[in-house]
Amino acid sequence: ETGVTQTPRHLVMGMTNKKSLKCEQHLGHNAMYWYKQSAKKPLELMFVYNFKEQTENNSVPSRFSPECPNSSHLFLHLHTLQPEDSALYLCASSQAGGLAGYTFGSGTRLTVV
Amino acid sequence: AQSVSQHNHHVILSEAASLELGCNYSYGGTVNLFWYVQYPGQHLQLLLKYFSGDPLVKGIKGFEAEFIKSKFSFNLRKPSVQWSDTAEYFCAVTLLEDSWGKLQFGAGTQVVVTP
């Protein structure tokens, strides 16, 4: 366990489904992040939350909708996804500024069929 | 465009061989540099980091990296690898002036160590 817990570990969903990914950290960090990891591509930063406020949205399609109800929890709501959205979705947390490095969760392996 | 480049996508070597993985970045300004490792089926873990001071930094498991500012490089090295070093290695950068500390990654290098 890293201190950052992601659920579910695996998810298969149809293109018309709505699902949510959950991330939870109890490290006392105040910044949380969503990354997309696809084969042979750099990790793509999707969203950044600092002190529950979204500070970054890297041109992510609106079919991905983040939610950060408090500094310990982060969600990624998914709806009408495309097959190319299949990837490993990683959550991470850090102290603001990230100088101590990030702590990553194990990820959710998403397959869109 | 700002980017992080890792020279090799795939490296295969034998146990006890030396390893060097290249990383170059194209950011202006002062950077913080990181290497992360992802063992098969596991989460990304911090291997080492550089903020300032001695450009040669030592990390966990016998890894080290050297920051060469003039070359915009931060190469990772290990003198003698073990089978357990089989993993994917990621170089990453944040900008000092970025108060939110957004981490930008390279594409990763898959390292396979054969017995």
Side-chain angles (χ1 to χ4, degrees):
Chain A
E1 280 299 325
T2 69
V4 177
T5 303
Q6 290 187 244
T7 54
R9 293 294 301 271
H10 300 272
L11 178 62
V12 179
M13 61 185 287
M15 289 189 284
T16 59
N17 290 162
K18 287 185 179 181
K19 296 287 184 183
S20 296
L21 310 184
K22 180 182 177 182
C23 177
E24 186 173 352
Q25 61 93 5
H26 296 289
L27 300 170
H29 292 165
N30 45 36
M32 296 186 77
Y33 313 82
W34 280 116
Y35 279 86
K36 177 183 178 183
Q37 186 177 21
S38 305
K40 300 181 181 178
K41 292 176 66 176
L43 273 76
E44 301 172 51
L45 179 63
M46 301 176 71
F47 300 105
V48 179
Y49 277 82
N50 281 277
F51 298 98
K52 303 184 297 178
E53 299 297 322
Q54 187 181 133
T55 56
E56 189 85 8
N57 175 342
N58 270 357
S59 303
V60 180
S62 59
R63 56 187 184 269
F64 294 91
S65 174
E67 179 189 1
C68 188
N70 55 62
S71 57
S72 298
H73 293 85
L74 184 65
F75 295 89
L76 187 62
H77 304 300
L78 316 171
H79 64 97
T80 60
L81 295 191
Q82 305 297 311
E84 60 265 28
D85 296 323
S86 299
L88 182 67
Y89 288 85
L90 295 171
C91 175
S93 70
S94 74
Q95 294 294 351
L99 294 183
Y102 291 10
T103 301
F104 282 87
S106 298
T108 294
R109 174 67 63 187
L110 174 67
T111 303
V112 181
V113 297
Chain B
Q2 298 174 330
S3 66
V4 181
S5 299
Q6 292 185 237
H7 307 159
N8 307 97
H9 292 299
H10 207 92
V11 171
I12 302 175
L13 62 168
S14 302
E15 277 192 317
S18 64
L19 173 70
E20 180 160 0
L21 302 181
C23 173
N24 286 90
Y25 61 93
S26 62
Y27 294 82
T30 303
V31 294
N32 303 311
L33 298 154
F34 304 80
W35 276 97
Y36 280 82
V37 60
Q38 190 173 31
Y39 298 103
Q42 295 190 29
H43 60 276
L44 276 159
Q45 302 173 45
L46 181 64
L47 206 51
L48 48 78
K49 59 189 177 187
Y50 171 80
F51 297 149
S52 63
D54 188 345
L56 184 64
V57 293
K58 295 190 184 299
I60 61 172
K61 305 187 181 186
F63 285 91
E64 64 179 31
E66 184 175 13
F67 171 51
I68 302 179
K69 188 175 180 179
S70 61
K71 295 185 177 180
F72 297 89
S73 70
F74 189 56
N75 293 354
L76 180 71
R77 297 193 293 252
K78 185 169 184 178
S80 176
V81 295
Q82 300 173 312
W83 175 80
S84 58
D85 292 321
T86 294
E88 190 156 18
Y89 294 81
F90 296 89
C91 182
V93 174
T94 64
L95 293 172
L96 185 64
E97 60 263 30
D98 177 3
S99 58
W100 304 126
K102 296 186 297 291
L103 202 56
Q104 302 290 346
F105 285 87
T109 299
Q110 182 67 52
V111 173
V112 175
V113 180
T114 60

